[in-house]
Amino acid sequence: MNGSIMIYLFGWILSFEAVFMLIPAVTALFFQESEGWWFVFTMVICLAVGLPLILRKPTNKVFYIREGCVTVGLSWIVLSAMGSLPFILSGCIPHPIDALFETVSGFTTTGASILSDVEALPKCMLMWRSFTHWIGGMGVLVFLLTLLPLTSGHTMNLMKAESPGPSVGKLVPKVQATAKILYFIYFVLTCVQIVLLLIGGMPLFDTLTTAFGTAGTGGFGIKNDSMAGYSVYLQNVITVFMILFGVNFNFYFFILKKKLHQAAEMEEVRWYLLIILAAILLITWNIRPIFGSILTAFQQAAFQVGSIITTTGFATTDFNLWPQASRTILVMLMFVGACAGSTGGGMKVSRLVILAKTVSKEVHLYLHPNAVKKVKMDKKAVGHDVVRSTNIFFVLYFLLFAFSVLVIAFDDFDLVTNFTAVAATLNNIGPGLELVGPTSNFGMFSPLSKCVLIFDMLAGRLEIFPLFILFFPDTWKKF
């Protein structure tokens, strides 16, 4: 294992985290909040540890999938641990596990919170919570690839380990150029949303935190009622952009390059939009008696469907009070998730499409044993390695899900609370149902349960494998 390149990257991650903390520090300066000094203190620690690691430049910059997974897994743990320090040191979230829960929830774009009154936090802390969504949305290692001169062709292993979805490919020949394209699209979409929110009269601070949360499909709000207090126009803008950030970014790349035919052939995007439309129509019909107006019901259904399937987690109403059919649809959408190659979480639409086609293929072969049938996506054959990794992902996913539900069951909460709490964290959504509904929080869980849910958030964001590989002894041989 090439340990020198991993240590080098850890140095850069800590250094960039110090730079990221300038934003909440400047926010504290603007609002004259003394808590901002704790960000400065944490920045000094990050730089004191990170800069010496950067100075030790590795002679061998080549690393393979093992190095990629280990680097990504440990990087997110280090990033979250250091990111929690301002919460702990300032006393805003004094308990280390609670602070780590909140920070991991931010970086993994989950949006689950242990706080009962977010409005009591200083503005700089609110800014940091929301900005962690934007950092984690596209991935910190992907961000590093846009800036660092890592010329090895094996750098694709970093992107594969961190980017969500069953497979990741290059948009252009060079990995660094691919990373820059992804971040360009990410940045432009964020800026467009900021402009539209400002046009709607949203205050600048609210606009920035909301845009960061939407872009990263995170869902940390700065109001106790999440998005319920904003106008219908602002809610509609957020709805549209939640759905846009849940689209595979390859789709936008093809549009930018005027490759409209390739964009139109993206089967995953078509299924993603079709699922959203079907869910909105079904829920609208089911909740229309609650709101009295079919248009209001449609608007509320569209917001919540967009929020849940993209795993953003914002809320405009307490959907925990909706009829059983609507709540069931929302829980199903928690597992579906957004597109691969987006900032959304969940299982990913592409995996479910591949799974459905694999089942169809097996049934066909059962009826016609001598037939030759391939699984295809976008009119291209899906490789056996992708089908295999997809199947293994589902096995690991449900094993981890079952284990997590079992462990937190010892807290003696009801099954719906436990089930949706794990679903909300493993799928990086945020709110669940019952005691972890949109008007509640995760603060009542025991420290052990919170640690399990923290692991679930990290596993869900990193697609399980980069985190699981840390526990295999073979991973650390020849370190």
Side-chain angles (χ1 to χ4, degrees):
M1 181 182 288
N2 188 354
S4 60
I5 185 65
M6 293 167 54
I7 294 172
Y8 179 69
L9 287 173
F10 291 150
W12 275 109
I13 288 165
L14 289 171
S15 300
F16 274 115
E17 184 165 22
V19 175
F20 294 149
M21 287 188 179
L22 282 173
I23 289 184
V26 170
T27 303
L29 180 64
F30 182 81
F31 288 101
Q32 298 181 340
E33 296 172 335
S34 60
E35 291 82 1
W37 287 108
W38 293 115
F39 287 102
V40 176
F41 181 75
T42 307
M43 288 165 61
V44 172
I45 295 176
C46 289
L47 292 174
V49 177
L51 288 179
L53 300 181
I54 293 173
L55 295 177
R56 297 177 59 185
K57 293 185 179 181
T59 55
N60 181 11
K61 295 184 179 181
V62 175
F63 50 91
Y64 299 94
I65 191 64
R66 179 170 62 165
E67 283 86 347
C69 288
V70 171
T71 301
V72 168
L74 292 180
S75 293
W76 280 73
I77 294 172
V78 170
L79 191 73
S80 300
M82 297 302 294
S84 67
L85 286 181
F87 291 121
I88 300 170
L89 297 174
S90 66
C92 292
I93 308 179
H95 197 288
I97 292 179
D98 285 346
L100 185 63
F101 184 100
E102 199 79 8
T103 309
V104 170
S105 182
F107 280 119
T108 60
T109 73
T110 303
S113 179
I114 51 85
L115 298 170
S116 58
D117 184 12
V118 296
E119 294 181 29
L121 287 180
K123 291 286 197 300
C124 59
M125 295 296 170
L126 292 175
M127 177 61 76
W128 178 235
R129 286 171 80 244
S130 297
F131 191 55
T132 55
H133 283 334
W134 199 85
I135 298 168
M138 188 59 68
V140 65
L141 271 301
V142 175
F143 178 76
L144 289 182
L145 288 177
T146 66
L147 301 175
L148 299 187
L150 298 175
T151 55
S152 167
H154 297 90
T155 51
M156 192 53 163
N157 290 320
L158 269 181
M159 188 174 288
K160 285 182 178 180
E162 188 177 51
S163 299
S167 62
V168 176
K170 301 178 187 177
L171 299 177
V172 291
K174 293 184 178 180
V175 175
Q176 189 177 57
T178 298
K180 287 181 178 179
I181 290 170
L182 291 173
Y183 255 96
F184 172 76
I185 296 170
Y186 190 49
F187 181 77
V188 169
L189 283 175
T190 304
C191 290
V192 172
Q193 185 188 1
I194 288 173
V195 171
L196 291 176
L197 291 176
L198 289 173
I199 290 173
M202 182 180 278
L204 179 60
F205 180 80
D206 297 36
T207 295
L208 293 175
T209 52
T210 301
F212 292 150
T214 307
T217 60
F220 271 152
I222 61 170
K223 305 289 185 183
N224 290 331
D225 63 359
S226 189
M227 298 293 127
Y230 295 112
S231 68
V232 173
Y233 166 82
L234 294 174
Q235 291 177 5
N236 289 340
V237 169
I238 295 168
T239 300
V240 171
F241 277 88
M242 285 190 297
I243 294 172
L244 289 178
F245 280 107
V247 172
N248 191 320
F249 276 38
N250 288 5
F251 180 78
Y252 300 128
F253 172 76
F254 291 141
I255 292 177
L256 285 174
K257 294 298 182 180
K258 298 182 180 179
K259 298 179 180 180
L260 302 183
H261 180 69
Q262 288 178 264
E265 284 185 347
M266 293 189 68
E267 195 172 346
E268 180 187 26
V269 176
R270 294 201 302 271
W271 276 108
Y272 168 71
L273 296 176
L274 182 62
I275 291 169
I276 289 175
L277 178 60
I280 291 174
L281 293 178
L282 286 171
I283 292 178
T284 298
W285 183 256
N286 191 232
I287 66 174
R288 73 191 189 285
I290 297 177
F291 294 98
S293 165
I294 193 73
L295 289 177
T296 303
F298 181 85
Q299 186 259 330
Q300 291 293 325
F303 188 97
Q304 290 312 144
V305 168
S307 178
I308 296 300
I309 195 171
T310 62
T311 70
T312 304
F314 285 141
T316 55
T317 185
D318 187 0
F319 55 79
N320 195 42
L321 303 176
W322 284 4
Q324 289 295 338
S326 296
R327 300 202 309 165
T328 301
I329 292 171
L330 291 178
V331 171
M332 293 173 69
L333 293 178
M334 288 182 182
F335 292 93
V336 173
C339 295
S342 71
T343 61
M347 292 181 176
K348 304 297 182 299
V349 175
S350 58
R351 280 200 181 96
L352 293 173
V353 173
I354 291 173
L355 181 64
K357 291 189 174 187
T358 303
V359 172
S360 175
K361 172 191 172 182
E362 292 303 316
V363 171
H364 183 83
L365 292 176
Y366 185 82
L367 297 173
H368 307 281
N370 296 322
V372 177
K373 187 176 177 66
K374 293 184 178 181
V375 176
K376 291 186 176 182
M377 281 283 287
D378 304 337
K379 298 181 180 180
K380 299 176 183 178
V382 178
H384 177 70
D385 58 330
V386 175
V387 175
R388 186 188 70 249
S389 65
T390 299
N391 294 335
I392 294 173
F393 172 86
F394 280 113
V395 172
L396 286 175
Y397 178 94
F398 286 113
L399 286 175
L400 177 59
F401 191 97
F403 175 78
S404 300
V405 171
L406 175 62
V407 172
I408 70 171
F410 287 97
D411 283 355
D412 208 25
F413 298 120
D414 63 276
L415 180 59
V416 174
T417 295
N418 294 337
F419 185 90
T420 57
V422 174
T425 49
L426 186 55
N427 294 311
N428 303 133
I429 294 164
L433 296 176
E434 299 299 342
L435 299 180
V436 290
T439 60
S440 305
N441 60 76
F442 288 70
M444 77 284 189
F445 284 108
S446 66
L448 174 61
S449 293
K450 288 174 184 174
C451 289
V452 171
L453 297 176
I454 287 171
F455 184 88
D456 288 346
M457 287 188 282
L458 288 168
R461 173 59 182 83
L462 301 180
E463 307 273 286
I464 301 179
F465 292 102
L467 211 57
F468 267 32
I469 202 174
L470 298 179
F471 297 93
F472 283 82
D474 286 350
T475 301
W476 305 102
K477 288 183 178 179
K478 298 179 182 180
F479 181 77

